[in-house]
Amino acid sequence: LCIIGMVVYANSTELGNPIKEKSSESLPVKVAMNKFQIVDASEYGDGSDIYKNIVKQYYTYPKQGMALKTEQPELFIDTAIELTELRKQAFEMENYNLVAGNLPSKIENEMDSSYYKYLKKHSLELSFGSLSFYPFLAFLFSVVGSVWFVLICIYSSNIMIEDFRHISIIKGYPIAFSKYVLAKCMSSMSIVVIFIIELIICSLPLIYFKGLGQASYPVAVFNGDVMIYPIYKYIAVSIIYMIVLAIFAILLSVILNVLLKNVYLTIFVQVMLVVLPILFPGLIELIPFNPFNYVNFPSVLNGESLNLATPVALNSNAGLLYLCISIGLLMAIIKWVLSTGKLQKI
């Protein structure tokens, strides 16, 4: 159902259709242009620099539309690069703050610029197939990844609750309680891995209907700096993040079950730990190694932390490292609790 819903959404919104995307992008620019009194926007006219720049931006969109309709992808890419340069100039102009809300942010523009320049440099064709296999997987994991950690927290929130209520029965098992806890975690994790595999398998019919797509097609990401990943690398990074986050969430649920002995309190604490950096962005800069800064990994890869009131350049590789260290700490805490016998006394 998840796959079907995503396919229907991508198809109905014409995701990946540059003509539709550019037509929608031009509307905010027109709104920005209307914020100024209509004056002469020519090079020597009496309009302000920012107004002239916005007018130039607005008139690049018809050029891009014409390039696509007449099947001139090279012209489209050239005008796209020209547009990113105009935006870059606008960032430094007086009164830019008047139109900042109507234009892409600096990081969005930089990612667009890197993407189109990469296409031009390597003479790559513009991709139109958002529903082919590889592009759809990248889209799927970016959407699922944004809520993945919360979903796993909810799924694992009662991982040990029932066992704690019947601890006398568990003590009668012919295995050590620590091994039983480990088995529960591994069982939960295996279901998570199966779910990820199912997402990939359920997307396979798109190969027949829409084609495989290009596994090496570029995707602009932010990883401390703007970089270009081949689409297969973006998918691989997403899967690694999802597995690491699932392990982190399951271990955290075990500890919270021990401390709180309540499913709803476990979920509440986990959600609050996720929400706090969102409500108080200054905490991200104050504690950059907080693993909860990275639980929404698609936003990290999109550089969205640079759009916060207090911009912070989060690094996705560092995020994986912090999460792995946190997993090690959680495992150490669980082992200590088990070794002291505190868990058996619940």
Side-chain angles (χ1 to χ4, degrees):
L1 288 177
C2 175
I3 300 294
I4 294 173
M6 298 294 289
V7 170
V8 170
Y9 171 79
N11 191 52
S12 62
T13 58
E14 297 183 62
L15 191 72
N17 184 337
I19 296 178
K20 187 175 180 64
E21 289 178 357
K22 291 301 172 183
S23 63
S24 63
E25 282 182 15
S26 66
L27 294 177
V29 179
K30 187 174 183 180
V31 172
M33 194 167 59
N34 290 337
K35 290 183 178 181
F36 298 89
Q37 183 178 357
I38 299 177
V39 292
D40 185 358
S42 63
E43 183 177 356
Y44 299 105
D46 56 356
S48 64
D49 289 340
I50 186 66
Y51 175 71
K52 294 176 183 178
N53 181 283
I54 297 299
V55 171
K56 288 179 182 178
Q57 287 189 45
Y58 181 72
Y59 284 108
T60 58
Y61 290 106
K63 292 181 187 177
Q64 289 183 307
M66 180 198 69
L68 290 170
K69 290 176 182 177
T70 56
E71 297 183 352
Q72 300 182 64
E74 297 85 0
L75 177 59
F76 176 87
I77 292 172
D78 287 339
T79 52
I81 294 173
E82 177 188 348
L83 179 59
T84 59
E85 291 301 317
L86 286 170
R87 291 171 180 167
K88 187 176 179 180
Q89 294 169 15
F91 294 141
E92 310 301 326
M93 291 182 178
E94 187 179 358
N95 294 326
Y96 169 73
N97 60 303
L98 296 177
V99 296
N102 304 104
L103 301 177
S105 65
K106 289 184 179 181
I107 184 60
E108 290 172 331
N109 187 61
E110 190 176 348
M111 292 176 74
D112 281 348
S113 177
S114 297
Y115 169 70
Y116 288 116
K117 286 179 179 177
Y118 186 92
L119 291 180
K120 184 177 178 65
K121 180 180 178 180
H122 295 85
S123 302
L124 297 175
E125 294 184 2
L126 197 66
S127 174
F128 292 87
S130 64
L131 279 178
S132 54
F133 181 66
Y134 283 112
F136 178 77
L137 271 188
F139 167 65
L140 175 64
F141 285 132
S142 69
V143 173
V144 174
S146 62
V147 294
W148 178 252
F149 182 76
V150 174
L151 291 177
I152 300 300
C153 285
I154 295 172
Y155 158 70
S156 63
S157 60
N158 65 341
I159 185 170
M160 298 299 296
I161 292 292
E162 289 300 318
D163 298 310
F164 295 158
R165 289 174 181 168
H166 306 286
I167 195 68
S168 58
I169 297 177
I170 303 302
K171 287 180 179 180
Y173 285 178
I175 59 172
F177 191 69
S178 58
K179 291 183 179 179
Y180 177 79
V181 174
L182 177 62
K184 289 278 289 187
C185 292
M186 292 180 66
S187 174
S188 298
M189 194 60 215
S190 64
I191 294 174
V192 170
V193 172
I194 290 171
F195 177 74
I196 294 174
I197 294 172
E198 285 181 346
L199 288 178
I200 298 173
I201 292 174
C202 291
S203 301
L204 289 176
L206 290 173
I207 298 176
Y208 176 78
F209 293 105
K210 296 292 184 177
L212 190 62
Q214 302 178 51
S216 59
Y217 194 77
V219 177
V221 300
F222 184 80
N223 190 19
D225 290 303
V226 174
M227 308 175 74
I228 297 294
Y229 281 1
I231 201 166
Y232 70 82
K233 183 175 180 179
Y234 181 90
I235 294 170
V237 169
S238 298
I239 293 174
I240 291 170
Y241 249 106
M242 290 169 74
I243 291 173
V244 171
L245 284 171
I247 296 171
F248 179 59
I250 290 170
L251 294 176
L252 183 62
S253 291
V254 171
I255 292 177
L256 291 177
N257 279 181
V258 173
L259 297 176
L260 304 175
K261 309 178 186 66
N262 184 283
V263 173
Y264 301 108
L265 283 177
T266 297
I267 295 174
F268 175 76
V269 171
Q270 289 172 321
V271 171
M272 284 304 299
L273 289 171
V274 174
V275 170
L276 277 175
I278 299 173
L279 295 178
F280 305 100
L283 290 175
I284 300 177
E285 184 181 30
L286 183 64
I287 316 173
F289 49 84
N290 179 7
F292 295 96
N293 294 341
Y294 302 90
V295 295
N296 185 354
F297 66 87
S299 71
V300 175
L301 291 170
N302 288 335
E304 292 180 15
S305 61
L306 291 171
N307 295 328
L308 298 173
T310 306
V312 183
L314 295 179
N315 185 303
S316 60
N317 290 344
L320 275 175
L321 176 61
Y322 297 145
L323 284 165
C324 289
I325 292 173
S326 300
I327 288 171
L329 291 173
L330 290 177
M331 292 177 69
I333 292 171
I334 292 173
K335 184 177 180 180
W336 175 78
V337 171
L338 291 171
S339 65
T340 57
K342 294 180 184 292
L343 197 55
Q344 287 92 328
K345 296 175 183 177
I346 294 175

